[in-house]
């Protein structure tokens, strides 16, 4: 019913039944039929893993495997030769071959050169029917990359300058550079690069100078990025000494493949000529630095040495010399023409053992051409300082000291420094009068010890001895000095500790005892405590006075021992005290000095109404009376206290707020609490009455 394709479906399964045409009755069981599709060669081979890219090193031997290609045929491999595929090279067979059965591609020649051609494109064909006539075929392109090997040595390129015959005959390239003779060491002269046809690490190379003697003047290094030879100088060049230098520079590969050793040496050489350019140079010293030694007793005007400098140029100008005065204190001078250094001041090694001078050399024709030389002058020691006794020069001896007892060890100082070291000798001076009492013994460590010679001592007869000691050094010539040791006779305890001497300097020869120190500290501590206590009491007293001064004068209570006739009795009391206290004006309640009024606290004004109840005040006064009657500590006289009303005839007018009147809403009674402890009870009373007024309204 339609075209069959074995590659799409290889067989079909059919089921069939036989039925009566008229009755449609099943005549026999159902049967199954399998129809297999027979293959014919209708599918060509196909390469599935496209694109194919392979690589092979250059100069590989014939038959070197490169890669494998594979094609697939959809036809039935079990029927005939429809699926049997063979391979062949359609394009590129001169350089590569392919195995007809396996598809392995191999090199056909051994001279593949990456530098000539680094890539090949092959066309591979796959044919079914085992390659017989009538078979179908398919093809693909295979790219083969030729990888690099180190088969090319480095080569210096041809220089742009003309080569002389000798150099050309040796096959070496010539490069020329120039450098000024004033260039400092480390200056780069130029760069040279050898070319290598290889790529990657096969082009890595290094350079070296062949002549050993040139290696002391020039240095070559390799730039790791550009692979260039960097040529520099190690030390300064001199045009007058040598105007031109020739050196052989060799370039060599770092990584050499031994398989290609027969191709030749993987190195190349070139001639480098360095021309030194003449420069007008400053003078040069000979030698470049040095040390001059001179004895410290050298006479003024003596020549201690000479400095020499020359003009290195062809002109050979004369040289003049000067000293940099900032480098020394005018102790030396230099001759302008000869360079001789002379002494102008006395030398003293003990003051300054070294002197640093800076010598300047100028060209007479060109003062700007100047050179500097650092010169060190060492002052050699001579024995010009006598030895002296080191401190202290005083000592003491107990009255009961035994013979041979050590009193003092004497040391010596000498400012000289002889080459063989110090050696001192001690003895008592001939004029000594105490040699019968003391002896002097030399010790090997350049010290001497003073010992008692006989006993006893009596400080009542003689409390002090003067012992002259002569000290001699071992220098040439030997110098000596006489020092005096003062020995005082003192009283000592049983342990030998000095207790007292007749001289004021030795009254407290020993240190204070621990008990005395403790007593002294206790006294000082008591004195400090007393001072602190006085300060505390004084501060407390000042605080009490301040609190009394700050107290409102209206809180004072004035007590009298007798009972008067009431406030209308103005003759029994001196009312001027009250008037001066509050400064009331006659017949005025609000008058008075404005400055004093500003210092007084305002009294709250309250005028009683007809409906007010004074039972609260009555209860309060009665309670205070009962308390006063029951208190046994009250004084034996009447206490006059005024509550509520003060009366109607007081010339000082009313000071109470009870006679004032205002509505409850206009009163601000909160100030009563800030007037002090004497008004707190009154503030509580007003606060209670205020609460009674507000409660009915609420």
């Amino acid at each position: 019913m339609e075209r069959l394709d074995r590659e799409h479906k290889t067989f079909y399964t059919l089921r069939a039944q036989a039925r009566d045409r008229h009755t449609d009755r099943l005549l026999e069981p159902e049967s199954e039929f399998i129809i297999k599709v027979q293959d014919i060669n209708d599918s060509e081979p196909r390469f599935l893993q496209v694109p194919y890219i392979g690589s092979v090193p250059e100069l590989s031997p014939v038959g070197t495997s490169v890669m494998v290609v594979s094609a697939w045929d959809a036809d039935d491999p079990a029927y005939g030769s429809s699926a049997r595929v063979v391979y062949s090279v359609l394009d590129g067979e001169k350089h590569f071959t392919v195995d007809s059965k396996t598809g392995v591609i191999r090199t056909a020649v051994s001279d593949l050169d990456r530098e000539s051609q680094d890539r090949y494109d092959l066309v591979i064909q796959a044919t079914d029917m085992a390659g017989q006539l009538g078979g179908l075929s398919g093809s693909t392109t295979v790219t083969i990359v030729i990888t690099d090997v180190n088969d090319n040595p480095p080569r210096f390129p041809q220089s742009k300058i003309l080569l002389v015959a000798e150099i050309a005959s040796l096959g070496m390239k010539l490069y020329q550079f120039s450098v000024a003779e004033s260039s400092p060491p480390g200056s780069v002269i130029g760069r040279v690069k050898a070319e290598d046809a290889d790529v990657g690490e096969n082009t890595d190379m290094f350079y070296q100078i062949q002549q050993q003697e040139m290696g002391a003047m020039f240095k070559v290094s390799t730039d790791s990025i550009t692979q260039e030879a960097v040529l520099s100088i190690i030390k300064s060049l001199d045009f007058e000494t040598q105007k031109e230098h020739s050196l052989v520079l060799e370039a060599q590969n770092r990584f050499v493949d031994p398989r290609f050793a027969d191709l030749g040496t993987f190195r190349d050489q070139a001639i480098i000529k360095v021309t030194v350019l003449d420069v007008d140079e400053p003078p040069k010293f000979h030698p470049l630095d040095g040390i001059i030694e001179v004895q410290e007793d050298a006479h003024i005007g003596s020549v201690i040495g000479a400095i020499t400098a020359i003009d290195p140029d062809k002109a050979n100008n004369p040289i003049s010399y000067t000293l940099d005065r900032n480098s020394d204190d005018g102790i030396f001078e230099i001759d302008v023409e000869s360079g001789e250094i002379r002494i102008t001041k006395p030398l003293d090694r003990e003051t300054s053992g070294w002197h640093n001078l800076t010598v300047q050399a100028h060209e007479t024709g060109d003062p700007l051409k100047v050179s500097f030389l650092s010169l060190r002058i060492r002052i050699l020691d001579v024995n010009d300082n006598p030895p002296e006794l080191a401190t202290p020069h005083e000592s003491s001896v107990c009255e009961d000291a035994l013979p041979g007892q050590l009193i003092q060890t004497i040391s010596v100082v000498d400012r000289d420094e002889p080459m063989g070291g110090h050696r001192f000798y001690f003895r008592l001076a001939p004029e000594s009068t105490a040699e019968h009492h003391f002896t002097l013994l030399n010790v090997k460590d350049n010290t001497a010890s003073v010992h008692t010679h006989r006993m006893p001592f009596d400080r009542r007869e003689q409390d002090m001895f003067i012992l002259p000691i002569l000290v001699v050094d071992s220098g040439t010539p030997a110098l000596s000095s006489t020092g005096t040791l003062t020995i005082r006779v003192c009283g000592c305890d049983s342990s030998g500790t000095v207790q007292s001497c007749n001289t004021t300097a030795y009254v407290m020869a020993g240190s204070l005892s621990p008990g005395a120190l403790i007593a002294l500290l206790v006294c000082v501590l008591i004195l400090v405590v007393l001072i602190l206590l006085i300060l505390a009491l004084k501060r407390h007293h000042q605080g009490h006075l301040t609190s009394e001064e700050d107290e409102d004068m209206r809180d004072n209570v004035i007590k009298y021992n007798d009972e008067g006739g009431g406030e209308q009795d103005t003759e029994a009391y001196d009312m001027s005290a009250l008037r001066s206290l509050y400064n009331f004006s006659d017949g005025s309640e609000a008058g008075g000095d404005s400055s004093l009024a500003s210092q007084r606290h305002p009294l709250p004004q309250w005028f009683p109404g007809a409906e007010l109840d004074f039972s609260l005040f009555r209860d309060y006064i009665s309670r205070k009376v009962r308390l006063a009657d029951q208190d046994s500590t009250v004084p034996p006289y009447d206490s006059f206290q005024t509550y509520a009303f003060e009366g109607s005839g007081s010339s000082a007018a009313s000071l109470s707020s009870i006679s004032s009147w205002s509505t409850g809403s206009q009163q601000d009674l909160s100030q009563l609490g800030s007037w002090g402890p004497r008004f707190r009870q009154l503030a509580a009373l007003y606060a209670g009455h205020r609460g009674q007024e507000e409660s009915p309204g609420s």
Side-chain angles (χ1 to χ4, degrees):
M1 295 177 66
E2 62 180 12
R3 184 182 180 86
L4 302 179
D5 186 3
R6 191 204 66 84
E7 287 74 26
H8 178 69
K9 192 169 186 180
T10 58
F11 66 93
Y12 296 88
T13 301
L14 306 181
R15 289 182 172 83
Q17 295 176 343
R19 293 180 179 273
D20 189 312
R21 184 184 300 273
H22 300 286
T23 62
D24 197 27
R25 183 174 61 85
L26 186 63
L27 300 178
E28 62 180 10
E30 183 180 82
S31 300
E32 183 179 86
F33 300 88
I34 296 176
I35 301 176
K36 293 184 178 181
V37 182
Q38 185 177 353
D39 183 44
I40 62 173
N41 189 19
D42 60 345
S43 298
E44 71 279 1
R46 295 183 179 180
F47 293 92
L48 302 179
Q49 299 179 359
V50 294
Y52 287 96
I53 299 176
S55 63
V56 62
E58 61 177 331
L59 301 181
S60 296
V62 177
T64 301
S65 176
V66 180
M67 62 183 303
V68 178
V69 294
S70 177
W72 177 75
D73 195 321
D75 292 328
D76 188 2
Y79 180 78
S81 301
S82 299
R84 293 181 59 188
V85 180
V86 294
Y87 302 93
S88 61
V89 179
L90 295 182
D91 187 11
E93 65 275 3
K94 293 181 180 180
H95 301 91
F96 298 93
T97 62
V98 63
D99 189 286
S100 61
K101 294 181 179 180
T102 61
V104 177
I105 301 176
R106 302 178 186 274
T107 58
V109 294
S110 60
D111 58 351
L112 294 175
D113 188 10
R114 187 202 64 82
E115 289 73 28
S116 300
Q117 185 175 352
D118 60 352
R119 173 174 173 167
Y120 293 89
D121 292 325
L122 307 181
V123 178
I124 305 297
Q125 178 179 269
T127 307
D128 59 10
M129 296 297 293
Q132 297 177 4
L133 186 62
L136 303 178
S137 63
S139 63
T140 186
T141 300
V142 178
T143 301
I144 299 177
V145 178
I146 307 302
T147 59
D148 184 58
V149 296
N150 192 8
D151 59 338
N152 293 281
R155 291 288 182 263
F156 286 101
Q158 178 66 43
S159 176
K160 294 182 179 181
I161 65 173
L162 297 177
L163 303 179
V164 296
E166 295 81 11
I167 302 301
S169 63
L170 294 175
M172 294 185 185
K173 308 301 186 299
L174 176 65
Y175 297 87
Q176 288 187 348
F177 299 98
S178 60
V179 59
E181 62 176 336
S182 60
S183 299
S187 300
V188 176
I189 300 175
R191 289 172 174 258
V192 180
K193 182 179 180 181
E195 297 180 350
D196 194 328
D198 297 322
V199 295
E201 67 176 9
N202 295 325
T203 61
D204 291 347
M205 62 187 74
F206 64 92
Y207 302 87
Q208 58 186 1
I209 299 175
Q210 291 299 306
Q211 305 101 311
Q212 185 176 1
E213 63 277 6
M214 290 296 154
M217 302 179 63
F218 299 93
K219 176 185 176 182
V220 63
S221 59
T222 304
D223 191 324
S224 59
I225 299 176
T226 63
Q227 297 298 316
E228 290 179 317
V230 182
L231 190 64
S232 58
I233 57 176
I234 297 179
K235 60 181 182 179
S236 299
L237 304 179
D238 187 12
F239 173 82
E240 289 72 24
T241 304
Q242 188 173 352
K243 301 179 181 179
E244 189 177 74
H245 301 270
S246 296
L247 56 147
V248 178
L249 183 65
E250 182 180 83
Q252 185 177 352
N253 281 129
R254 291 187 182 274
F255 308 104
V256 179
D257 195 336
R259 296 178 300 171
F260 309 107
D262 55 344
L263 297 179
T265 58
F266 286 81
R267 63 185 66 188
D268 194 18
Q269 294 181 346
I271 301 296
I272 306 295
K273 283 193 174 183
V274 181
T275 302
V276 183
L277 303 178
D278 187 22
V279 177
D280 190 5
E281 300 175 276
K284 290 186 177 180
F285 288 97
H286 296 283
L288 298 180
D289 55 7
I291 297 177
I292 298 178
E293 295 182 347
V294 58
Q295 297 284 343
E296 65 174 323
D297 59 350
H299 299 289
I300 296 177
S302 302
V303 177
I304 63 173
I307 301 300
T308 303
I310 60 173
D311 182 7
D313 299 320
K314 289 183 179 181
N316 195 17
N317 295 322
I319 306 300
S320 59
Y321 304 92
T322 58
L323 286 180
D324 185 2
R325 286 305 173 188
N326 294 327
S327 62
D328 200 74
D329 297 332
I331 301 178
F332 304 93
E333 66 177 6
I334 188 170
D335 189 272
V336 177
E337 297 181 357
S338 64
E340 293 180 345
I341 300 177
R342 291 184 173 87
I343 302 174
T344 59
K345 294 182 180 179
L347 302 178
D348 186 10
R349 187 205 62 83
E350 289 72 31
T351 303
S352 179
W354 287 88
H355 296 272
N356 297 320
L357 302 180
T358 300
V359 182
Q360 302 175 351
H362 306 262
E363 288 187 16
T364 304
D366 189 0
L368 297 179
K369 292 294 184 291
V370 58
S371 296
F372 300 91
L373 173 67
S374 296
L375 182 65
R376 303 184 67 194
I377 299 178
R378 179 183 180 185
I379 309 301
L380 301 179
D381 183 49
V382 296
N383 192 26
D384 58 345
N385 292 282
E388 298 176 354
L389 292 181
T391 55
H393 299 307
E394 293 186 359
S395 184
S396 61
V397 61
C398 297
E399 284 185 299
D400 56 352
L402 300 176
Q405 180 176 339
L406 175 64
I407 299 177
Q408 181 75 31
T409 299
I410 301 173
S411 59
V412 178
V413 293
D414 194 336
R415 299 177 62 190
D416 295 324
E417 293 183 0
M419 298 295 294
H422 290 289
R423 184 69 180 96
F424 302 108
Y425 304 94
F426 303 84
R427 66 172 179 268
L428 295 177
E431 64 271 16
S432 175
T433 59
E435 58 184 3
H436 300 293
H437 299 275
F438 304 97
T439 58
L440 184 65
L441 300 179
N442 282 276
V443 185
K444 293 183 179 181
D445 58 352
N446 289 329
T447 60
S449 58
V450 179
H451 298 263
T452 57
H453 183 61
R454 67 177 185 178
M455 63 173 293
F457 296 95
D458 189 356
R459 57 177 173 170
R460 291 175 296 179
E461 296 180 0
Q462 185 174 356
D463 61 348
M464 182 176 63
F465 294 90
I466 305 299
L467 191 66
I469 300 175
L470 179 65
V471 184
V472 184
D473 62 16
S474 59
T476 303
L479 299 179
S480 63
S481 67
T482 300
T484 301
L485 177 64
T486 302
I487 302 177
R488 302 182 184 278
V489 180
C490 303
C492 304
D493 57 11
S494 59
S495 62
T497 303
V498 176
Q499 295 296 322
S500 63
C501 299
N502 291 343
T503 305
T504 306
Y506 282 87
V507 171
M508 297 184 66
S511 60
L512 293 176
S513 62
L517 288 176
I518 294 175
L520 181 61
L521 291 177
V522 170
C523 293
V524 173
L525 183 60
I526 293 174
L527 181 61
V528 171
V529 172
L530 290 176
I531 293 174
L532 294 177
L533 183 59
I534 292 173
L535 292 177
L537 292 176
K538 184 177 181 181
R539 182 176 299 178
H540 178 72
H541 180 66
Q542 290 179 352
H544 180 69
L545 293 178
T546 302
S547 62
E548 291 181 353
E549 292 175 0
D550 294 340
E551 186 177 1
D552 199 329
M553 295 298 296
R554 289 172 293 182
D555 293 343
N556 295 336
V557 177
I558 301 176
K559 296 181 180 180
Y560 298 91
N561 293 332
D562 54 347
E563 183 176 356
E567 289 186 334
Q568 294 184 0
D569 186 4
T570 59
E571 296 180 357
Y573 300 96
D574 185 7
M575 302 302 295
S576 62
L578 295 177
R579 293 190 183 97
S580 62
L581 179 63
Y582 296 101
N583 195 18
F584 290 111
S585 299
D586 295 339
S588 176
E589 294 181 4
D593 190 3
S594 61
S595 62
L596 293 176
S598 62
Q599 299 177 0
R600 296 193 298 270
H601 296 286
L603 292 173
Q605 300 296 322
W606 180 61
F607 295 91
E611 72 280 0
L612 297 180
D613 185 356
F614 293 97
S615 61
L616 180 64
F617 295 98
R618 188 182 304 108
D619 296 337
Y620 173 75
I621 294 174
S622 300
R623 186 169 64 254
K624 296 293 289 183
V625 170
R626 288 195 301 270
L627 292 176
D629 294 337
Q630 297 174 2
D631 190 0
S632 60
T633 61
V634 297
Y637 49 80
D638 294 339
S639 175
F640 179 75
Q641 300 184 21
T642 302
Y643 299 96
F645 299 99
E646 296 183 0
S648 59
S650 176
S651 61
S654 177
L655 299 178
S656 174
S657 60
I658 299 178
S659 61
S660 61
W661 179 89
S662 65
T663 60
S665 60
Q666 295 179 352
Q667 294 297 321
D668 184 9
L669 305 179
S670 60
Q671 295 183 2
L672 295 175
S674 61
W675 286 5
R678 298 178 182 270
F679 288 89
R680 290 178 183 174
Q681 186 66 29
L682 187 60
L685 294 176
Y686 276 101
H689 183 75
R690 180 66 177 261
Q692 293 177 1
E693 289 181 353
E694 292 179 354
S695 58
S698 62

